[in-house]
């Protein structure tokens, strides 16, 4: 297990998100692609929740700071990751400025979300568009089941996005993610129905689903 790292602060996260904007595009947010398994492994917090309300709040107590945050009051339904950092999440925060990857969620509705994010140094939960945030109803059965077990247990695997052929595995613990190559979208069939799983010999390969696990390696050399 890696050593614990200091939790980031508001100011640091806002500076990092500002770097995501491509030069000359003040209203753009750009994120590196990541498979849902990677999002779960790299996030400090993973929860299922409903959004009760939203409110615009100052980003800090400094009167000179003009940055605003959007604060969502939530009803936490289940926590999958983050128990050691927070017990029950009441609020989550996101940048108000869309150019800083602020997330717009539906409040006062029955919609439930899977939310991944960071826990800041003051204990606040912070989310942005580069996190994995999906309506719960849009998740496949495999994704829902993997939140409890498979994703967490296989964080030692490396998932690499394949954009063009040929795609070549460069490490024994690597799985090639081919949704963009085959479907021209990131969260396609592979993201929805496969988990990159680690074997006892340290190698990793794709496995499908919630049924008795059987190997179904995705052949990306001959799509």
């Amino acid at each position: 297990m890696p050593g614990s790292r200091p939790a980031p602060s508001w100011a640091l996260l806002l500076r990092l998100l500002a770097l995501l904007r491509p030069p000359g595009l003040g209203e753009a947010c750009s994120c590196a692609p990541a498979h849902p398994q990677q999002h779960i492994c790299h996030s400090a917090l993973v929860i299922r929740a409903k959004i009760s309300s939203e409110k615009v709040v100052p980003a800090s107590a400094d009167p000179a700071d003009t940055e605003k945050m959007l604060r969502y009051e939530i009803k936490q339904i289940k926590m999958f990751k983050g128990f050691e950092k927070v017990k029950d999440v009441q609020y989550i925060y996101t940048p108000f400025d869309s150019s800083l990857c602020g997330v717009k969620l539906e409040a006062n509705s029955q919609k439930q979300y899977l939310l991944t994010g960071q826990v800041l140094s003051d204990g606040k939960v912070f989310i942005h568009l580069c996190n994995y945030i999906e309506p719960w109803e849009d998740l496949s059965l495999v994704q829902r089941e993997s939140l409890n077990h498979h994703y967490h247990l296989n964080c030692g695997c490396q998932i690499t996005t394949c954009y063009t052929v040929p795609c070549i595995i460069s490490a024994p613990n690597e799985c090639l993610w081919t949704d963009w190559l085959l479907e021209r979208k990131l969260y396609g069939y592979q993201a929805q129905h496969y988990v990159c799983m680690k074997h006892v010999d340290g190698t990793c390969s794709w496995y499908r689903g919630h049924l008795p696990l059987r190997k179904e390696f995705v052949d990306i050399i001959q799509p």
Side-chain angles (χ1 to χ4, degrees):
M1 295 292 292
S4 60
R5 298 178 180 177
S9 64
W10 284 124
L12 175 59
L13 277 171
L14 289 173
R15 285 198 298 270
L16 291 174
L17 289 173
L19 295 176
L20 295 172
R21 284 181 286 189
L25 296 178
E27 292 301 321
C29 171
S30 177
C31 307
H35 186 276
Q37 180 172 332
Q38 293 171 291
H39 279 292
I40 302 306
C41 288
H42 297 157
S43 297
L45 185 86
V46 181
I47 61 173
R48 176 183 178 185
K50 291 170 60 176
I51 312 302
S52 301
S53 64
E54 63 180 63
K55 182 179 181 181
V56 178
V57 298
S60 72
D62 183 357
D65 186 358
T66 60
E67 291 286 351
K68 300 293 184 182
M69 306 297 293
L70 192 59
R71 186 186 73 186
Y72 290 109
E73 183 178 7
I74 72 166
K75 178 182 179 181
Q76 179 178 303
I77 298 171
K78 185 172 183 178
M79 181 177 290
F80 300 98
K81 186 178 180 181
F83 305 96
E84 73 284 359
K85 297 181 181 295
V86 290
K87 299 302 180 185
D88 184 63
V89 181
Q90 183 178 4
Y91 299 106
I92 56 175
Y93 296 79
T94 191
F96 179 75
D97 189 343
S98 61
S99 67
L100 293 180
C101 302
V103 180
K104 184 62 179 176
L105 303 175
E106 289 186 24
N108 298 311
S109 75
Q110 295 302 309
K111 180 176 284 190
Q112 300 178 16
Y113 290 93
L114 174 69
L115 304 172
T116 70
Q118 294 80 37
V119 180
L120 305 183
S121 54
D122 58 2
K124 290 185 173 70
V125 175
F126 183 86
I127 65 171
H128 53 77
L129 284 176
C130 295
N131 297 127
Y132 189 59
I133 298 169
E134 291 288 326
W136 184 258
E137 63 183 14
D138 291 349
L139 300 178
S140 69
L141 179 59
V142 171
Q143 289 176 307
R144 296 181 189 188
E145 291 184 344
S146 296
L147 290 169
N148 287 310
H149 302 292
H150 292 323
Y151 287 156
H152 302 287
L153 296 176
N154 294 283
C155 289
C157 293
Q158 175 183 336
I159 300 176
T160 302
T161 309
C162 177
Y163 297 105
T164 59
V165 291
C167 296
I168 301 173
I169 292 178
S170 58
N173 69 331
E174 183 178 4
C175 291
L176 293 175
W177 181 23
T178 61
D179 279 340
W180 180 256
L181 175 67
L182 301 179
E183 303 181 45
R184 285 296 181 260
K185 63 181 180 180
L186 283 179
Y187 299 132
Y189 192 84
Q190 194 178 15
Q192 293 174 337
H193 300 288
Y194 284 82
V195 177
C196 181
M197 298 190 71
K198 197 166 190 176
H199 307 289
V200 292
D201 63 358
T203 62
C204 294
S205 60
W206 291 112
Y207 278 82
R208 176 169 179 179
H210 58 286
L211 299 174
L213 292 177
R214 57 190 179 92
K215 187 174 182 181
E216 290 186 1
F217 184 67
V218 178
D219 184 1
I220 48 69
I221 305 302
Q222 308 251 342

